[in-house]
Amino acid sequence: MPSVNKLYTDFRRKGLEVLLVDFRENPEVVKRTVRERGYVAPVLLDRDGEVTGKAYGVWGPPTAYFVDRSGRLIGRLVGRRGWDRPEARRFIQALLEADVKR
C-alpha cells in the first residue's frame, strides 16, 4: 500500500479521492493495521461484507473502483497494481484531467 499512499498524497489536491475499504474483519485489527502500516487515505469498515460483497461484487482484495466527480462508475480493476509506476500515474492524471474538461 505504500504506492497507494504516495498516489493519494500526490494527487488529492488535484481532486483524487481514495477510500480504503476493509471488510469482514475485527475493527480493532483494522485500526491496528492502519496505524502500523501508516495508511493516509480514509479507511472504511464493512463489518459483514454486505456492501462490498453484495452491492459491488468484491470478495477478495484488492479491488479498485474509479468513480468520476459526478458519482458515475467509470472503471474497475481487480488485483494488485503498482500505483507508483509512471504509466499508473499517467492513467490517474488523465482521468483527473478528463473529468475537469467535462
Side-chain angles (χ1 to χ4, degrees), residues 30-92:
V30 174
K31 286 179 188 176
R32 184 177 66 241
T33 302
V34 168
R35 187 174 53 252
E36 289 173 356
R37 295 184 183 175
Y39 297 156
V40 295
V43 178
L44 309 176
L45 180 60
D46 180 8
R47 292 178 77 159
D48 59 10
E50 191 73 20
V51 176
T52 51
K54 291 186 179 177
Y56 290 96
V58 177
W59 299 106
T63 302
Y65 287 88
F66 299 93
V67 180
D68 70 10
R69 295 175 200 263
S70 299
R72 293 180 300 232
L73 178 65
I74 58 172
R76 175 182 174 198
L77 294 171
V78 177
R80 292 181 181 253
R81 298 289 190 271
W83 294 109
D84 52 349
R85 296 174 58 187
E87 56 271 21
R89 296 177 64 81
R90 284 193 300 271
F91 170 73
I92 295 299

Side-chain angles (χ1 to χ4, degrees), residues 4-6 8-9 12 18 20 34 37-43:
V4 174
N5 277 345
K6 177 119 175 74
Y8 177 64
T9 300
R12 69 179 164 192
V18 172
L20 304 173
V34 168
R37 295 184 183 175
Y39 297 156
V40 295
V43 178

Side-chain angles (χ1 to χ4, degrees), residues 23-34:
F23 59 99
R24 296 180 295 187
E25 287 196 82
N26 179 298
E28 292 306 314
V29 171
V30 174
K31 286 179 188 176
R32 184 177 66 241
T33 302
V34 168

